[in-house]
Amino acid sequence: MISPSEDAAACPAPALTAKDFRSDLKPIWCPGCGDYGVVTALYRALAAIGRPAHEIAFVSGIGCSSRIPGYTTAYGFNSVHGRALPIAQGIKMANPELLVLVAGGDGDGFSIGGGHVPHAIRRNPDLTYLVMDNQIYGLTKGQVSPTSARGTQSPTSVYGSMEEPVNPLLYVLAYGAGFVAQGVPADMDGLTKIIEEAIRYPGFSFVNIQSPCISFGSPDNQIKNQKAKLRKLSDLGHDPTNRLRAMELAQDYGRELYTGVFYRNPNPPPTYERRIAELQGRLAAPGATGA
Amino acid sequence: MHDFIVGMAGSGGDGIVSAGESLIGAALAEGYYGILTKSFGSQIRGGESSCRLRLATQPVLNPGGTLDVAVVLNWEDFRRFGGELPVDARTLVIYEAKTKVEPTALPLGGVTPAAAVAVPMEQMALQSAGAQLAKNNVVLGLLAAWFGLPRERILAGIRKKFARKGEAVLAGNERAFAAGFEYAERTPLPAARRLAPAVPAAGPMQLTDGNELCARAALFAGCRFFGGYPITPATEIMQHLQRDIWKHGGSLLQAEDEIAGVGAAVGASFAGKKAMTATSGPGFSLKAEMLGLASVAELPLVCVDVQRGGPSTGMPTKREQSDLFAAVFSAHGDTVRPVLAPTTVADTFEVTVEAFNLAEEYQTPVIVLSDQELAQRKEIVPAIDPARFRVVDRRVPAGEELKDYRRFRFTDTGVSPLSHPGLPGGNYLAAGIEHDESGAPTANGEMHARMNDKRLHKFAPLQERRDLFVLEGEPDAAIGLISWGSVAGIALEALRQARAEGIEIKLLVPKLLYPVAVPVYRDFFAGLDRCYVVEQSHQGQLHRLIRMWADVPPEFGVLAKSGANPISPEEIVAQIRAMTRARAAAVRRH
Ligand SMILES: Cc1ncc(C[n+]2csc(CCOP(=O)(O)OP(=O)(O)O)c2C)c(N)n1
Ligand code: SF4
């Protein structure tokens, strides 16, 4: 196997641009879908990071948002509904040198795949998980999702949903993620920077992206409303090393639209891959055979 | 005596399984062949437990049927194992005198054994070792003296086992053994039987089980990632790998559930590593969607299903062969994935290596259907010689192939070179969504048909894999048997008995269960007019699967039983005799 680091050392690559990460596939999202903004911000963030596309593995589940890996030039894996995180962890464990990105919808990540989130976080692999949270099931045409507000009317909740929504930010903070942020396509520069920072964080990083569904999402939650509503955490003077304060702010999910970094662990603990490499090093027995 | 079967039962704390382990350890050291099976009322420790040990001077094919000797520490526990510890008029019953049962009134459901002796085992343990825990060593002493089992080897085992527990405990247990031994010498049995001296094999032997060999085979084949979730009776595969896989630069994930376990393995395979998961029925059900993903994304993956009684939680500690349909059909869509089954403990190594080879060669998930018995019975088998096995690696694109690389390119074989992240120029989109040659999603019917064809066609060479079938008996016989998995060892013994009676018969044992290799069955069925499939499932799943694909003989029957109901060589021989008579009658009529 070609080691990405050796490869990079052999020929200093020219600077990469956003275009280098755009594939030939034309997105099939509805015109006006927030996910267009997300993929554009991602191209820019990847250009800033500067790792060549073949060193990136980009895994998703199923949903409109989960189509995103195919629109990049990275090695993509558009897998099955809700299971992107386990697959991504297997990839990272198999080859820790790869830059591994994970993406999906709020249904993918917090409904069917919700059980995988705390476990990925407690292992702390160096993955970046982008959830395109549109508070609705887009692909299956508009059913209520786990992040929909109580009372949401949809084809499967015609009288209004009866459950409280999950709070992705608060959950992920409580599970112990080292990097938690929120962005919106209404603020492309901000979103680009947040994704870049998330990728740079050495450990599990989570970005909740309020990416509106123009076809089935709430009219109050569209890009034009986002512009008016959003409040940058940096403008509020929030200290992103303050986890408790971050949790307090996260309580406002669904009411306030904060963007920026809620929490960044100032002392990132060792990643899962680091611990594995240490164990492998300790146990390595030259000439050991299976039989 | 060249073949000796002893069965013992007691409560969890009686150490009966531990006594069985001591005996088979001694047998290995002495040069005997043997199989030890353990059986528990449930997975939970502390319930009733039993073991049966078959020792022989030649290789043994299965744990055997009727017991030569039954050791009963208490009757309730013994009787709970029912047909697993069968007693008949040949059996000598040794039982705890404390139970106060008269030899003439044994609770054996009307069966009169050859003899029954009440022995004060607990009392001897208390007197010699001061602890009734030492009872199992009294049993070992009795068995050693009465049946000529290797005394010094057993004692060496006891010394090794108790060395860490201190002088006093060790001495107590040695005295318990001596007490049993001397009691037996003082009290000769009505009809003395002794095991003939061992005839050690030429090469080195080892004591192992299917789960251990599966794990070792995986490492040998190059497996560098395991993802799984604990489940009886498959957990030991993960436990063995956990100790060693890191030493080979690999890694292992005890995932949050079976879906995540197989998902991580799919991810590791996508990343270029040989990957595996292992489970049993309930976990296998959860993995179904991921298996379909690996099929359509054409990613190598080995999934072991150590079958147990089902459906649902079923009977976790019992053998059943009822996951064949699930293995073949459980993922939705028009897909095929190879299903292999080992037939002996030693075979598990070979079949697991083969599973990795098929997975890598054909870029597919491969199911290994082991079963509770093969997985967990301890068996004395020849040491594995790795030089006998070839290891296949996946076709990774190189050079020209990476120019205009198309991951799912149509080729003559249906197999296209497989790149992995990190390889410049090999970038592609893997997906569960139907795709074209480049990997781009499609909903075009024509492309879907061509891709389905590619994914089916690539398995064509498996139709001729005759090396994945065992054939024994007269090639021209008119009656035949088919059997698979651990039950095949019983069918083989039955076949040999029938042939010893002068009956002409043959046996086919598939290790490749799916795709059904039609040419192999066609040749086997040629000239056969009666054939029975012997298997441990209620519906006779292999019997039905073969009928789905192959033209079968005029009389094609099945001897099938639900899990935990023993199938004995004797009843198979009875079936064979019935087939012979029916055939003779039919021939006379013509
Ligand atoms: C196991 C399984 N169940 C259900 C579906 C159908 N399904 C596909 S996407 C989806 C939900 C989509 O919502 P979300 O994950 O929020 O993503 P979005 O489409 O809104 O981006 C569902 C229910 C599926 N593909 N697989
Ligand atoms: S349905 Fe909604 S989420 Fe899906 S592509 Fe259209 S706008 Fe986007």
Side-chain angles (χ1 to χ4, degrees):
Chain A
M1 186 162 89
I2 293 173
S3 144
S5 53
E6 276 170 33
D7 185 51
C11 52
L16 294 164
T17 68
K19 261 199 4 239
D20 292 312
F21 296 96
R22 178 182 300 144
S23 76
D24 299 335
L25 282 185
K26 194 173 133 7
I28 54 163
W29 292 317
C30 308
C33 175
D35 296 348
Y36 284 100
V38 180
V39 76
T40 305
L42 179 65
Y43 297 146
R44 295 181 190 167
L46 288 175
I49 297 284
R51 294 276 302 264
H54 72 265
E55 295 178 9
I56 303 171
F58 191 4
V59 192
S60 65
I62 291 290
C64 296
S65 43
S66 288
R67 286 280 183 143
I68 193 169
Y71 306 140
T72 74
T73 50
Y75 274 91
F77 199 158
N78 186 177
S79 68
V80 288
H81 197 27
R83 316 298 170 196
L85 277 175
I87 292 176
Q89 289 169 83
I91 294 173
K92 189 71 182 171
M93 289 172 78
N95 185 355
E97 310 237 13
L98 298 171
L99 192 171
V100 183
L101 303 172
V102 192
D106 43 290
D108 197 75
F110 287 97
S111 194
I112 189 165
H116 302 305
V117 181
H119 300 283
I121 291 175
R122 75 191 173 88
R123 295 180 190 120
N124 193 35
D126 186 6
L127 308 177
T128 295
Y129 185 27
L130 310 172
V131 168
M132 285 165 257
D133 175 11
N134 55 13
Q135 286 115 44
I136 208 78
Y137 280 11
L139 188 80
T140 46
K141 300 196 164 49
Q143 301 79 14
V144 64
S145 99
T147 53
S148 304
R150 186 163 53 77
T152 297
Q153 290 180 317
S154 82
T156 51
S157 59
V158 283
Y159 308 111
S161 65
M162 291 179 274
E163 300 94 333
E164 291 300 329
V166 306
N167 181 331
L169 296 164
L170 194 56
Y171 276 27
V172 163
L173 280 164
Y175 295 152
F179 183 99
V180 180
Q182 180 161 263
V184 287
D187 172 12
M188 286 296 289
D189 289 346
L191 181 59
T192 304
K193 257 195 66 203
I194 288 165
I195 295 176
E196 184 190 336
E197 257 193 83
I199 294 173
R200 290 196 194 279
Y201 177 78
F204 190 94
S205 54
F206 171 73
V207 185
N208 199 61
I209 306 173
Q210 300 258 358
S211 175
C213 170
I214 198 161
S215 300
F216 306 106
S218 149
D220 306 336
N221 188 20
Q222 296 300 331
I223 293 190
K224 56 181 187 312
N225 315 64
Q226 287 187 339
K227 287 204 165 120
K229 252 173 86 179
L230 75 86
R231 296 170 71 192
K232 294 194 175 174
L233 290 169
S234 52
D235 293 348
L236 299 177
H238 171 57
D239 167 11
T241 66
N242 185 339
R243 183 156 172 251
L244 285 179
R245 178 68 189 136
M247 290 176 100
E248 241 173 274
L249 288 163
Q251 306 255 18
D252 288 336
Y253 172 85
R255 288 186 294 275
E256 296 283 353
L257 184 59
Y258 297 129
T259 63
V261 181
F262 281 77
Y263 179 61
R264 185 193 308 101
N265 189 336
N267 304 304
T271 62
Y272 201 43
E273 311 77 80
R274 254 284 292 290
R275 294 187 201 276
I276 289 172
E278 275 167 19
L279 179 63
Q280 288 168 335
R282 214 166 58 229
L283 296 178
T289 72
Chain B
M1 205 168 41
H2 288 273
D3 191 341
F4 173 71
I5 304 171
V6 56
M8 313 189 254
S11 326
D14 286 340
I16 226 54
V17 170
S18 158
E21 285 168 347
S22 300
L23 278 181
I24 198 159
L28 169 70
E30 187 71 11
Y32 287 107
Y33 293 86
I35 292 177
L36 173 73
T37 56
K38 310 168 192 178
S39 185
F40 304 91
S42 78
Q43 297 129 291
I44 302 160
R45 277 194 184 210
E48 67 277 12
S49 58
S50 74
C51 68
R52 50 181 301 148
L53 175 70
R54 182 173 189 180
L55 293 181
T57 54
Q58 285 168 34
V60 258
L61 297 170
N62 57 63
T66 305
L67 303 180
D68 294 311
V69 174
V71 178
V72 181
L73 292 189
N74 81 62
W75 286 104
E76 291 83 68
D77 289 333
F78 186 83
R79 289 180 54 196
R80 272 196 202 108
F81 291 99
E84 292 178 58
L85 298 175
V87 170
D88 74 9
R90 280 171 291 169
T91 311
L92 168 74
V93 177
I94 300 167
Y95 66 102
E96 171 59 56
K98 207 181 93 180
T99 61
K100 298 244 170 7
V101 172
E102 288 300 320
T104 49
L106 304 182
L108 288 172
V111 175
T112 311
V117 280
V119 182
M121 295 180 251
E122 186 173 316
Q123 192 196 336
M124 278 195 269
L126 286 170
Q127 280 171 1
S128 58
Q132 57 147 311
L133 269 182
K135 212 165 21 179
N136 56 357
N137 288 319
V138 174
V139 171
L140 290 177
L142 293 168
L143 294 176
W146 270 330
F147 305 105
L149 308 186
R151 174 188 175 159
E152 288 312 314
R153 306 280 190 188
I154 297 172
L155 269 171
I158 293 176
R159 285 188 199 112
K160 204 169 146 205
K161 186 163 134 200
F162 290 101
R164 272 175 291 124
K165 305 235 162 125
E167 268 310 304
V169 177
L170 171 58
N173 281 289
E174 283 179 325
R175 282 197 303 275
F177 179 86
F181 198 91
E182 284 153 22
Y183 180 94
E185 284 189 316
R186 279 198 312 274
T187 325
L189 290 175
R193 285 182 280 185
R194 296 181 75 79
L195 185 61
V199 189
M205 303 294 281
Q206 61 179 336
L207 180 62
T208 184
D209 58 48
N211 277 346
E212 182 184 357
L213 285 185
C214 176
R216 282 165 54 190
L219 287 177
F220 170 76
C223 174
R224 293 299 175 263
F225 186 87
F226 180 95
Y229 190 79
I231 186 167
T232 306
T235 311
E236 295 88 0
I237 296 174
M238 174 158 60
Q239 291 176 178
H240 283 292
L241 282 168
Q242 158 64 27
R243 274 196 290 274
D244 292 331
I245 198 165
W246 318 97
K247 300 176 191 166
H248 301 261
S251 51
L252 177 143
L253 180 71
Q254 179 181 325
E256 54 272 28
D257 57 35
E258 281 88 349
I259 300 174
V262 65
V266 167
S269 177
F270 172 70
K273 292 273 163 74
K274 292 189 184 179
M276 176 188 198
T277 186
T279 188
S280 187
F284 189 75
S285 295
L286 289 180
K287 290 178 196 287
E289 189 189 19
M290 279 292 171
L291 293 173
L293 175 64
S295 282
V296 77
E298 301 196 55
L299 289 171
L301 174 75
V302 173
C303 175
V304 181
D305 173 5
V306 182
Q307 300 168 93
R308 62 192 222 182
S312 190
T313 303
M315 299 199 289
T317 58
K318 303 296 177 193
R319 172 180 72 194
E320 196 163 83
Q321 297 179 300
S322 54
D323 290 357
L324 179 59
F325 286 170
V328 171
F329 300 120
S330 63
H332 61 277
D334 245 338
T335 183
V336 161
R337 50 176 180 250
V339 179
L340 299 175
T343 61
T344 66
V345 168
D347 230 17
T348 311
F349 191 94
E350 175 186 328
V351 165
T352 307
V353 172
E354 186 62 48
F356 276 96
N357 288 349
L358 294 183
E360 297 292 322
E361 177 146 13
Y362 299 108
Q363 302 177 8
T364 177
V366 176
I367 313 294
V368 176
L369 278 183
S370 178
D371 62 55
Q372 182 276 333
E373 189 189 300
L374 287 182
Q376 295 189 321
R377 83 183 187 207
K378 294 271 179 226
E379 187 169 330
I380 297 172
V381 302
I384 306 287
D385 171 15
R388 277 179 42 220
F389 305 98
R390 76 190 176 118
V391 168
V392 174
D393 292 319
R394 66 184 67 177
R395 264 277 276 118
V396 177
E400 281 300 304
E401 286 170 338
L402 284 166
K403 303 230 164 76
D404 181 31
Y405 174 67
R406 278 179 291 157
R407 162 66 185 103
F408 302 101
R409 189 186 288 276
F410 294 119
T411 60
D412 290 346
T413 57
V415 176
S416 351
L418 170 55
S419 68
H420 53 76
L423 186 62
N427 309 34
Y428 76 100
L429 177 69
I433 297 175
E434 187 59 283
H435 41 250
D436 64 14
E437 283 182 279
S438 74
T442 180
N444 174 294
E446 194 188 327
M447 182 54 73
H448 178 45
R450 289 190 71 191
M451 280 295 166
N452 267 337
D453 198 51
K454 172 187 195 291
R455 292 186 294 256
L456 295 176
H457 169 66
K458 66 182 177 183
F459 296 119
L462 294 182
Q463 293 291 314
E464 290 297 338
R465 284 296 305 271
R466 286 166 197 269
D467 58 315
L468 296 176
F469 290 77
V470 177
L471 192 57
E472 188 159 319
E474 285 81 16
D476 301 328
I479 59 174
L481 292 177
I482 295 174
S483 191
W484 69 286
S486 63
V487 176
I490 308 168
L492 189 54
E493 185 165 334
L495 179 99
R496 290 180 185 169
Q497 282 178 23
R499 294 182 72 196
E501 291 178 14
I503 299 175
E504 283 197 3
I505 183 169
K506 61 183 178 177
L507 167 72
L508 182 71
V509 178
K511 297 183 197 181
L512 173 68
L513 296 168
Y514 203 76
V516 173
V518 176
V520 179
Y521 289 96
R522 193 187 49 222
D523 293 354
F524 181 72
F525 290 150
L528 266 195
D529 52 31
R530 281 178 172 73
C531 182
Y532 269 74
V533 183
V534 185
E535 54 182 316
Q536 188 98 62
S537 68
H538 203 80
Q539 298 182 70
Q541 297 191 358
L542 180 62
H543 175 249
R544 287 169 190 269
L545 191 69
I546 293 170
R547 285 203 307 192
M548 198 175 153
W549 291 92
D551 292 330
V552 299
E555 188 182 321
F556 188 56
V558 62
L559 194 103
K561 286 186 185 179
S562 292
N565 294 287
I567 299 174
S568 70
E570 291 77 19
E571 65 193 294
I572 303 174
V573 172
Q575 182 66 50
I576 296 171
R577 288 194 202 107
M579 275 197 280
T580 318
R581 280 194 303 273
R583 191 181 135 72
V587 169
R588 270 197 305 278
R589 251 180 275 122
H590 284 288

